[in-house]
């Protein structure tokens, strides 16, 4: 089954073609960083307009790379939610219209399920069950995954997501947009032990997260170090290193706790922050100490992309799910509401 995947939940336009027998055939991602940089954050109206502008050209590129035409498609998958409603509607309208015109089934995919299943696109996909750390700009969750659609939420952030905290801390240091990756690069040459950042909510039971206190500590540290309102370059590097180490340690402690409590030794990392090298190394070490293994998608599939939507959509289309003819987008959509399906695609 060949399925075209469309991702448009926020500020990346992702298009991909997935074949249930051959795997990922082609994919493209267009980032809107340049569009939103002067505003210091995503402007929803501009994001929607840019999805309109880029989606069709990217579809043409993907089909050309695969050596196929739209007539070769067996289905269309698009991100139905959660996300920015205007951006979601662009992809939903396009996906549903394409499917109707081609007389093939369509399916609306949950954005976070796409991230969660992204490691399945690799040559060594994790078998079920596993613990998933979904960590991005909008979400930080620990989920027990017993199968596709069989999800149990173990813990989540009570305030900011980890990626959001990275971006806000970077903004405090006047780093360019998007700040999270800039902060991580600074951290590579900083002294993580110079400032004693807290590891929030790790001294109490449970698997929930909180990152607002880290932001407060960061702001206080910046004010203490700045001279005439300006931070020295080494101070920036050390604050960045201390902040990153605190977030990574907090995530690792909670992942270890989830694996111990569940007895499941397989851990996957998904979402944009999953590309962070420090986080990957720490969680690799954590899993190995427990006699387990960690899985993650290649860095290009950690950020929002059409490949994960095409893959997740293929699973649900193969299970017989179909979207209604009416177009719908769901800005807020708990993943636990999803129906369970059998895992039938490549690798199982």
């Amino acid at each position: 089954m060949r399925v075209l995947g469309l991702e448009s939940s926020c500020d990346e336009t992702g298009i991909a073609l997935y074949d249930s027998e051959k795997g990922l055939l082609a994919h493209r991602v267009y980032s809107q960083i340049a569009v939103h940089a002067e505003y210091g954050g995503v402007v929803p109206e501009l994001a929607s307009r840019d999805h309109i502008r880029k989606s069709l050209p990217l579809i043409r590129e993907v089909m050309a790379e695969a050596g196929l035409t739209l007539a070769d498609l067996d289905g269309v998958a698009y991100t139905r939610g959660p996300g920015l409603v205007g951006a979601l509607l662009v992809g939903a309208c396009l996906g549903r219209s394409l499917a109707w015109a081609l007389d093939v089934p369509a399916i609306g995919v949950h954005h976070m399920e796409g991230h969660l299943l992204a490691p399945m696109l690799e040559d060594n996909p994790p078998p079920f069950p596993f613990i998933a750390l979904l960590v991005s700009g909008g979400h930080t969750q620990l989920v027990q995954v017993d199968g596709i659609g069989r999800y149990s939420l173990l813990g989540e952030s009570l305030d900011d997501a980890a990626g959001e905290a990275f971006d806000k801390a970077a903004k405090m240091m006047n780093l360019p947009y998007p700040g999270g990756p800039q902060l991580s690069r600074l951290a590579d040459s900083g002294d993580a032990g110079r400032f004693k950042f807290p590891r929030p909510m790790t001294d109490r039971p449970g698997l929930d997260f909180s990152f607002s206190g880290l932001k407060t500590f960061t702001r206080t540290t910046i004010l203490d170090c700045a001279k005439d309102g300006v931070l020295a370059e080494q101070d920036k590097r050390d604050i960045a290193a201390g902040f990153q180490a605190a977030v990574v340690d907090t995530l690792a402690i909670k992942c270890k706790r989830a694996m111990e409590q569940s007895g499941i030794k397989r851990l996957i990392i998904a979402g944009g922050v999953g590309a962070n090298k420090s986080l990957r190394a720490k969680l690799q070490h954590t899993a190995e100490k427990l006699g387990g293994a960690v899985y993650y998608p290649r860095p290009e599939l950690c950020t929002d992309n059409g490949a994960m939507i095409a893959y997740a959509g293929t699973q649900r289309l193969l299970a017989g799910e179909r979207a209604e003819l009416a177009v719908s987008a769901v800005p807020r959509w708990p993943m636990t509401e999803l129906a369970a399906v059998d895992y039938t695609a490549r690798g199982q």
Side-chain angles (χ1 to χ4, degrees), residues 27-301:
H27 79 103
R28 292 284 189 278
V29 176
Y30 172 76
S31 174
Q32 300 178 3
I33 287 175
V35 175
H36 304 288
E38 65 177 292
Y39 304 100
V42 177
V43 180
E45 176 65 19
L46 295 181
S48 301
R49 294 186 182 200
D50 222 39
H51 287 309
I52 294 171
R53 185 173 67 90
K54 296 299 296 185
S55 293
L56 287 177
L58 289 176
I59 289 174
R60 296 189 189 102
E61 288 182 24
V62 163
M63 300 307 296
E65 180 181 335
L68 299 170
T69 69
L70 292 177
D72 296 309
L73 294 178
D74 300 305
V76 179
Y78 56 87
T79 304
R80 182 173 176 239
L84 301 174
V85 66
L88 290 169
L89 282 170
V90 173
C93 289
L94 177 57
R96 199 64 198 82
S97 300
L98 271 175
W100 182 84
L102 297 169
D103 194 25
V104 297
I107 188 70
V109 173
H110 193 291
H111 178 76
M112 295 311 294
E113 181 174 63
H115 275 304
L116 188 152
L117 298 178
M120 298 297 187
L121 289 161
E122 303 304 327
D123 293 334
N124 181 33
F128 298 115
F130 53 76
I131 300 298
L133 174 65
L134 299 177
V135 56
S136 67
H139 299 82
T140 299
Q141 298 177 332
L142 274 169
V143 182
Q144 180 171 324
V145 181
D146 296 311
I148 296 178
R150 298 180 175 91
Y151 309 131
S152 302
L153 181 63
L154 303 178
E156 61 185 338
S157 179
L158 302 179
D159 39 59
D160 290 351
E164 182 182 5
F166 263 93
D167 288 338
K168 289 181 177 177
K171 195 169 186 178
M172 293 176 198
M173 290 189 278
N174 296 317
L175 299 180
Y177 173 86
Q182 303 282 346
L183 186 149
S184 293
R185 281 190 282 273
L186 270 183
D188 291 341
S189 55
D191 177 5
R194 178 182 168 191
F195 302 106
K196 304 301 180 185
F197 277 77
R199 273 58 174 166
M201 296 186 69
T202 57
D203 58 348
R204 66 184 76 174
L207 296 171
D208 288 329
F209 304 89
S210 173
F211 296 105
S212 61
L214 284 176
K215 291 190 307 177
T216 301
F217 188 93
T218 301
R219 182 175 296 280
T220 300
T221 304
I222 289 171
L223 292 173
D224 288 344
C225 292
K227 296 179 180 178
D228 298 323
V230 178
L231 271 180
E233 190 62 29
Q234 191 57 51
D235 290 338
K236 281 187 180 181
R237 296 178 188 276
D238 294 344
I239 292 170
F243 176 87
Q244 176 172 269
V247 174
V248 167
D249 285 351
T250 299
L251 294 172
I253 289 167
K254 296 294 179 136
C255 285
K256 178 176 182 288
R257 190 175 295 173
M259 294 170 74
E260 290 174 336
Q261 291 179 5
S262 67
I264 298 172
K265 299 298 179 67
R266 287 179 292 274
L267 174 70
I268 75 147
I269 317 165
V273 182
N276 183 286
K277 294 178 181 178
S278 179
L279 177 62
R280 288 191 175 211
K282 184 75 174 183
L283 291 181
Q284 183 82 38
H285 179 70
T286 298
E288 289 176 353
K289 282 189 69 175
L290 295 175
V294 63
Y295 302 80
Y296 35 74
R298 69 201 79 165
E300 68 197 73
L301 298 185

Side-chain angles (χ1 to χ4, degrees), residues 5-8 12-16 24 27-29 79 111 114-115 118 121 297-310:
L6 314 177
E7 157 59 21
S8 66
E12 272 117 6
T13 308
I15 308 293
L24 184 62
H27 79 103
R28 292 284 189 278
V29 176
T79 304
H111 178 76
H115 275 304
L121 289 161
R298 69 201 79 165
E300 68 197 73
L301 298 185
C302 286
T303 56
D304 294 350
N305 63 87
M308 67 184 193
I309 302 304

Side-chain angles (χ1 to χ4, degrees), residues 332-345:
R332 297 183 181 276
W333 188 8
M335 198 162 55
T336 50
E337 293 181 358
L338 297 175
V341 302
D342 291 329
Y343 181 43
T344 54

